[in-house]
Amino acid sequence: MAKEWKVIDSSLNNHKKLVLGYSVQTVDPDPIFVGMSKKEVNDYFEYLCDENDKSTAFNSIAAMEALFFLDFKTRTRKKLKDPLSRKMRENITSLKPSLEKEILKIWKEHHPEFKSKINKFSGLLTYRHWFAHGRHWPLDLKHRVDLHTVFKLCRELVEELPLKRM
Amino acid sequence: MSLKDLEDFINKNENEKNNDVFNWENEKKEWIDYVDKFYKDVECWLEPLGAKVTYQFNDITLHEESYESYTIRQMQIGISGYQVFLEPIGTMLIGAKGRIDLKGPYGLKKFLLLSKDRINVTVKFKKELEEAKGSMPKSKQPIDWNWRLAPDEIYGDYLQVNADNFYSALLSVVSDE
């Protein structure tokens, strides 16, 4: 996902340079940019880059969410014998368990060494919900995310947690 | 980077300014003239409305690129209790010689100064002067620029401004219907 983000980010920056390199009053530039000042062009590409960051952050968090659910399904369907899997089978009976209230709670109880990182991931879920539901309410400053922090945390969770996959 | 590198950079830019193929002062004067002609047309179009519409001119300051700021007139129109502004945005734009925004309480419309025949004449940004040296703009004939209303959709038509579409634009920025 980081590679795809980089390709889009680089493409946007290269396109911005191309547009800003247009001579003033050049005929037939891309109609999107006709009549724009340099500041407006810069603002537009800044907005696009920001949208790329936001979308990628959302996708990364959603992918990590999916890994936790896949792990849960693997542990319960295969009836794995380790304490974490047993606890999940005993305590979670719903077909649609809550990630934060059930799955992550059990993870923290059985793997306290990962509690801090799992809590940080839980903190990202407010952003995930806001983005998934159309961003129709103002997001508190404390819930805004930095893409590179998201990348780093998700990478660490994937590399360090004993996540199971079918 | 040394002090000498910085001094060389400053001197290079000063020399380019002095040897400018692109004459900013002429460009600015021409742009201001086009704005004034546009305002004259607007005054004619508003005349039939008599005392129902009022207008005045205010001086504003524009800052463009790395050129010195300058004063230009903004037209303020009073209509049905609302104040609407024809605000010049500038001449250093992408794909247009100039732009005036019509700003009202319910919207914004843009008027662009475009080449009538879409002749491929370019005027360079300062940083491209090195490439432009020795090559004057393709045509030394005066270009026929005219004011056009920018479409709401990106790929719509740029209609030449006349009384009717000016009235439509004005109505759209003062009415929420």
Side-chain angles (χ1 to χ4, degrees), chain B residues 43-60:
Chain B
E43 285 177 287
C44 289
W45 296 331
L46 295 178
E47 201 184 330
L49 293 166
K52 294 178 190 171
V53 170
T54 61
Y55 62 86
Q56 66 184 61
F57 294 98
N58 311 312
D59 282 342
I60 60 171

Side-chain angles (χ1 to χ4, degrees), chain A residues 69 72 92-100 102-103:
Chain A
F69 276 108
F72 164 74
I92 303 177
T93 53
S94 162
L95 290 174
K96 291 185 181 178
S98 160
L99 175 65
E100 293 166 85
E102 297 179 283
I103 294 175

Side-chain angles (χ1 to χ4, degrees), chain B residues 15 29 33 35 63 83-84 90 96-98 113 116-117 120 127 136 138 150 153 159:
Chain B
N15 289 339
K29 184 182 178 309
D33 286 344
V35 170
H63 309 274
Q83 295 299 313
V84 171
K97 187 172 174 65
L113 193 55
K116 184 183 173 194
D117 299 318
N120 191 17
K127 69 181 174 83
M136 291 294 289
K138 280 192 180 178
E153 300 90 29
L159 300 173

Side-chain angles (χ1 to χ4, degrees), chain A:
Chain A
M1 208 168 285
K3 284 182 195 167
E4 287 79 6
W5 170 82
K6 185 65 186 165
V7 166
I8 295 171
D9 191 66
S10 297
S11 299
L12 286 172
N13 282 307
N14 288 337
H15 194 178
K16 181 177 82 168
K17 284 178 193 167
L18 177 71
V19 172
L20 290 177
Y22 283 150
S23 303
V24 175
Q25 299 152 19
T26 300
V27 293
D28 296 334
D30 189 323
I32 294 172
F33 304 105
V34 169
M36 279 195 187
S37 63
K38 267 194 170 178
K39 180 182 181 305
E40 287 169 332
V41 171
N42 276 316
D43 288 347
Y44 178 71
F45 279 98
E46 195 178 309
Y47 159 75
L48 291 179
C49 288
D50 187 56
E51 281 297 299
N52 183 33
D53 289 356
K54 284 193 171 79
S55 298
T56 306
F58 168 75
N59 287 337
S60 300
I61 297 166
M64 195 64 232
E65 178 185 352
L67 285 177
F68 276 116
F69 276 108
L70 284 171
D71 170 86
F72 164 74
K73 284 179 186 173
T74 303
R75 289 176 186 278
T76 52
R77 287 180 190 176
K78 288 191 171 179
K79 295 186 180 170
L80 300 181
K81 303 290 187 270
D82 60 280
L84 176 61
S85 301
R86 283 182 190 276
K87 193 70 175 179
M88 282 189 180
R89 277 205 312 280
E90 285 164 17
N91 284 27
I92 303 177
T93 53
S94 162
L95 290 174
K96 291 185 181 178
S98 160
L99 175 65
E100 293 166 85
K101 292 177 184 166
E102 297 179 283
I103 294 175
L104 294 183
K105 183 168 177 271
I106 293 177
W107 266 100
K108 285 188 286 186
E109 285 167 359
H110 283 265
H111 285 285
E113 69 275 26
F114 299 127
K115 186 177 175 184
S116 170
K117 289 186 182 175
I118 293 174
N119 280 339
K120 281 181 186 169
F121 178 72
S122 292
L124 297 179
L125 293 173
T126 303
Y127 173 85
R128 176 255 179 234
H129 300 326
W130 170 78
F131 195 94
H133 292 282
R135 309 186 238 183
H136 68 85
W137 66 90
L139 188 66
D140 289 339
L141 269 175
K142 65 181 178 184
H143 292 127
R144 292 185 192 177
V145 304
D146 166 67
L147 176 61
H148 297 287
T149 305
V150 171
F151 276 159
K152 183 170 179 289
L153 178 61
C154 290
R155 190 169 51 244
E156 285 170 359
L157 288 171
V158 167
E159 287 172 0
E160 294 171 27
L161 266 61
L163 291 161
K164 305 288 183 193
R165 295 190 213 189
M166 298 259 199

Side-chain angles (χ1 to χ4, degrees), chain B:
Chain B
M1 183 180 276
S2 65
L3 176 63
K4 186 179 179 314
D5 290 329
L6 189 56
E7 281 177 331
D8 286 345
F9 171 78
I10 293 169
N11 291 337
K12 179 173 170 249
N13 276 348
E14 285 298 319
N15 289 339
E16 280 175 355
K17 212 183 206 176
N18 295 333
N19 297 332
D20 219 325
V21 170
F22 172 73
N23 187 315
W24 166 244
E25 288 303 318
N26 287 351
E27 186 70 21
K28 185 179 71 178
K29 184 182 178 309
E30 198 178 11
W31 150 240
I32 292 173
D33 286 344
Y34 272 108
V35 170
D36 288 340
K37 281 180 200 165
F38 182 78
Y39 288 156
K40 281 206 171 2
D41 285 339
V42 172
E43 285 177 287
C44 289
W45 296 331
L46 295 178
E47 201 184 330
L49 293 166
K52 294 178 190 171
V53 170
T54 61
Y55 62 86
Q56 66 184 61
F57 294 98
N58 311 312
D59 282 342
I60 60 171
T61 303
L62 286 188
H63 309 274
E64 292 203 75
E65 284 289 305
S66 44
Y67 300 101
E68 290 172 3
S69 49
Y70 60 97
T71 302
I72 196 166
R73 291 191 306 162
Q74 170 201 69
M75 189 176 190
Q76 182 176 347
I77 302 170
I79 178 168
S80 290
Y82 296 114
Q83 295 299 313
V84 171
F85 297 88
L86 278 165
E87 186 172 314
I89 300 303
T91 185
M92 301 299 285
L93 305 175
I94 305 291
K97 187 172 174 65
R99 182 174 124 210
I100 295 177
D101 284 357
L102 177 65
K103 297 180 179 177
Y106 291 104
L108 169 76
K109 290 288 185 187
K110 298 180 183 183
F111 297 106
L112 298 178
L113 193 55
L114 299 175
S115 157
K116 184 183 173 194
D117 299 318
R118 310 294 278 171
I119 294 169
N120 191 17
V121 172
T122 62
V123 181
K124 303 291 184 180
F125 281 122
K126 273 185 76 171
K127 69 181 174 83
E128 293 169 311
L129 285 176
E130 279 300 319
E131 294 160 30
K133 260 181 199 166
S135 63
M136 291 294 289
K138 280 192 180 178
S139 170
K140 288 193 182 181
Q141 296 168 8
I143 304 301
D144 194 4
W145 302 99
N146 53 35
W147 286 102
R148 292 172 184 262
L149 179 60
D152 291 332
E153 300 90 29
I154 293 169
Y155 297 101
D157 292 327
Y158 290 85
L159 300 173
Q160 191 161 344
V161 182
N162 54 34
D164 284 340
N165 57 38
F166 180 78
Y167 296 145
S168 295
L170 187 57
L171 187 61
S172 74
V173 301
V174 294
S175 167
D176 60 352
E177 290 170 21

